[in-house]
Amino acid sequence: MEAVRHWVISDTHFKHDRIYSFTGSSGLKVRPEFGSAEEGDWAMIERWNAIVRPWDHIYHLGDVGFGPDVAAIVKALVGKKRLILGNHDTKDVREYRDMGFQKVYGTHHWGKGIWLSHIPLASESIGNLVNIHGHIHERAPYGPQYRNVSVERIGYRPVLIHSVVAQSYEVPQQHGSSEVAAKRTIEAT
């Protein structure tokens, strides 16, 4: 068996139709690539399962989804899943475990100087550590210690934790006034 890889993703919002009509501060749709939750959900499931292996560990940094059908989606996702609770993850911890999350956290110190959270942590709390988070969707991270892995920033598929820390993964970017997604590489600051 190949070595375990560690992945991260946030803010999938499975089964959340309304998010596909939300607009950001720019006035552009937050998720212009898809017209509905069904379309976006299938794309995220396919992209996840195409790269994550059954023995890989994947940290979902919160806001998994809405409604009773979310459990079926989570069970269909490959990998050993861990959940960092988000502001929309209001079910009992046992329900998330029944969905297929092996572990459930509020925040998690991943080691090697990395904090995983849903909401960006206060800079006073993390010192010189890196904070990988979600919650702010398409918006840029707050500073050089922060890495936003909301699906809108990472191409709607998991990314490897080490590439997030190195800031060497591709993210979608809305170009000008159009809602066409383009890819760019994040450069280290």
Side-chain angles (χ1 to χ4, degrees):
M1 182 168 67
E2 295 179 45
V4 172
R5 295 181 299 181
H6 297 89
W7 301 87
V8 66
I9 192 169
S10 187
D11 297 282
T12 50
H13 283 251
F14 291 122
K15 298 291 184 182
H16 186 194
D17 269 317
R18 288 185 48 222
I19 199 165
Y20 293 90
S21 62
F22 290 172
T23 57
S25 59
S26 66
L28 299 175
K29 284 187 177 180
V30 172
R31 294 190 177 181
E33 299 84 354
F34 309 106
S36 68
E38 182 177 7
E39 187 181 329
D41 291 355
W42 280 114
M44 287 186 281
I45 293 165
E46 287 176 359
R47 291 173 187 185
W48 178 313
N49 288 344
I51 57 176
V52 177
R53 301 170 305 192
W55 57 88
D56 287 344
H57 294 190
I58 179 156
Y59 292 85
H60 191 301
L61 304 188
D63 289 1
V64 175
F66 298 81
D69 297 337
V70 171
I73 291 175
V74 173
K75 287 177 182 177
L77 297 169
V78 175
K80 297 185 182 303
K81 298 173 286 282
R82 284 95 164 91
L83 174 63
I84 308 296
L85 293 169
N87 56 301
H88 292 294
D89 299 321
T90 58
K91 298 178 186 335
D92 187 275
V93 170
R94 289 174 291 209
E95 289 184 62
Y96 292 109
R97 291 191 118 142
D98 290 344
M99 282 184 199
F101 288 102
Q102 293 181 323
K103 297 183 180 183
V104 179
Y105 305 97
T107 60
H108 182 63
H109 184 246
W110 193 70
K112 301 176 185 153
I114 301 167
W115 272 104
L116 303 177
S117 64
H118 176 64
I119 295 173
L121 299 174
S123 59
E124 303 82 39
S125 300
I126 61 172
N128 292 326
L129 304 179
V130 171
N131 179 203
I132 301 175
H133 63 84
H135 186 65
I136 61 174
H137 292 271
E138 82 289 359
R139 289 178 275 163
Y142 295 149
Q145 292 174 253
Y146 295 92
R147 310 290 191 275
N148 178 9
V149 294
S150 298
V151 295
E152 298 89 353
R153 298 278 304 165
I154 61 171
Y156 302 91
R157 87 280 187 242
V159 291
L160 291 165
I161 290 179
H162 75 269
S163 72
V164 173
V165 173
Q167 296 183 325
S168 63
Y169 56 100
E170 290 185 342
V171 297
Q173 168 181 290
Q174 292 182 351
H175 187 279
S177 61
S178 73
E179 295 182 352
V180 176
K183 294 201 176 190
R184 68 175 171 85
T185 300
I186 293 180
E187 296 179 10
T189 50

